[in-house]
Amino acid sequence: MNRTMTQYHRSAQDIRSERRIRNNRIRRRREMRKNFLLLVLTFCLIVTTSIAVSSFRSHAKNDPSQESSKYYKSIVVSDSETLWSIAEDYMDEEHYGSIYEYIREVMQINNLKSDAIYADAHLIVPYYDTVIK
């Protein structure tokens, strides 16, 4: 009888030990899943943040470190030049809605009554340039 009790006692102890081992495995699996989920979420957060930052920095218009400033230049008209060809050389599409708008400004600055210009005439033309701070 003593043996049976000892065997029963051992087997009950073994059962408790096996339960404890099983519960520890389950707990470790849960922790591993939780840690893996945290890792994946952290990775997603880093990727999302880096995309947002690179997108923000790629918009040069909105970048305060680069400003576009308006300048004026005096040019001498050559034989083949027209206001249209001058506009194609100096006009900035970001600041003018159309080439006609730029030509009107050049005519206004130079007090021209028509769009006719002549060789060796001096004109003042506006242009924009980017200044990096």
Side-chain angles (χ1 to χ4, degrees):
M1 189 164 220
N2 222 356
R3 262 188 189 173
T4 335
M5 194 67 133
T6 310
Q7 286 176 343
Y8 175 76
H9 190 299
R10 285 184 190 166
S11 65
Q13 191 175 12
D14 289 343
I15 291 172
R16 281 194 299 263
S17 178
E18 288 174 7
R19 281 185 190 155
R20 193 174 40 234
I21 291 170
R22 190 173 356 110
N23 288 339
N24 284 339
R25 283 184 188 154
I26 292 170
R27 187 174 37 82
R28 279 194 300 258
R29 280 186 197 143
R30 285 181 186 155
E31 274 192 50
M32 290 294 286
R33 284 185 197 142
K34 185 176 85 175
N35 289 340
F36 180 74
L37 183 61
L38 284 173
L39 177 72
V40 169
L41 289 175
T42 304
F43 178 75
C44 289
L45 181 65
I46 289 171
V47 168
T48 304
T49 304
S50 66
I51 290 171
V53 167
S54 67
S55 172
F56 178 75
R57 294 188 76 197
S58 70
H59 294 291
K61 250 191 224 177
N62 299 333
D63 189 359
S65 66
Q66 291 186 345
E67 285 185 6
S68 185
S69 298
K70 188 175 192 177
Y71 298 97
Y72 296 92
K73 182 176 185 176
S74 177
I75 61 167
V76 177
V77 179
S78 68
D79 288 334
S80 61
E81 282 186 313
T82 63
L83 286 178
W84 190 278
S85 65
I86 292 170
E88 287 176 338
D89 290 340
Y90 293 98
M91 185 183 95
D92 184 354
E93 294 172 352
E94 285 184 35
H95 297 92
Y96 294 98
S98 69
I99 199 162
Y100 299 107
E101 188 179 323
Y102 182 83
I103 291 172
R104 277 194 299 275
E105 184 176 351
V106 171
M107 289 175 63
Q108 181 183 12
I109 292 170
N110 293 286
N111 293 321
L112 299 175
K113 303 294 180 205
S114 72
D115 61 353
I117 56 173
Y118 303 99
D120 297 327
H122 291 269
L123 290 179
I124 297 172
V125 293
Y127 69 98
Y128 284 86
D129 198 9
T130 303
V131 178
I132 301 174
K133 292 183 177 181

